[in-house]
Amino acid sequence: PKGVGSELYGTEPASFYAKDLALNLNLALPLAALALPLLCAAPHLAAPMAAPAARRLRLMVAAAWLWVGFFSLLPHKEERFMFPAYPPLCLAAAVGADALVQLLARLLRPPKRSASAVLGL
């Protein structure tokens, strides 16, 4: 039945938080979205750090995205429900930005040449 529990205060579609995060985080949102896949698939690129620190970072970023996912499933949505997720999402955006810079540096770095190849030996 409609109008039970938190639905008394209004409901929003599941896309509400996606739009809200896009407005609040702007360019940081796609960078934050890159962070977790990069931390899992290419940890040497995304987070060149000790294994325990990388594990904590993955956990924090995953928890932020789980928070967003969980509250997106609830019918009643308010912007204030996302406030606890903003700091770890900003951290995730920083990780994503750093990984992007690392990747671009690797791609744009000229190949190393040995002295014998340069001298034609």
Side-chain angles (χ1 to χ4, degrees), residues 3-70:
V4 177
S6 64
E7 291 182 8
L8 285 171
Y9 304 103
T11 60
E12 295 290 340
S15 62
F16 176 81
Y17 287 131
K19 292 176 188 175
D20 186 59
L21 288 172
L23 286 171
N24 288 321
L25 297 178
N26 275 322
L27 294 176
L29 184 60
L31 292 172
L34 279 175
L36 191 58
L38 283 172
L39 284 169
C40 294
H44 61 283
L45 180 64
M49 62 181 76
R55 192 169 31 256
R56 283 191 302 270
L57 185 58
R58 278 194 303 273
L59 183 62
M60 186 179 296
V61 171
W65 284 113
L66 284 172
W67 184 276
V68 172
F70 173 76

Side-chain angles (χ1 to χ4, degrees), residues 94-119:
V95 169
D98 182 60
L100 191 60
V101 168
Q102 297 279 343
L103 181 63
L104 288 174
R106 285 186 183 190
L107 292 175
L108 298 176
R109 184 178 302 136
K112 292 183 179 179
R113 297 182 186 191
S114 65
S116 60
V118 172
L119 296 174

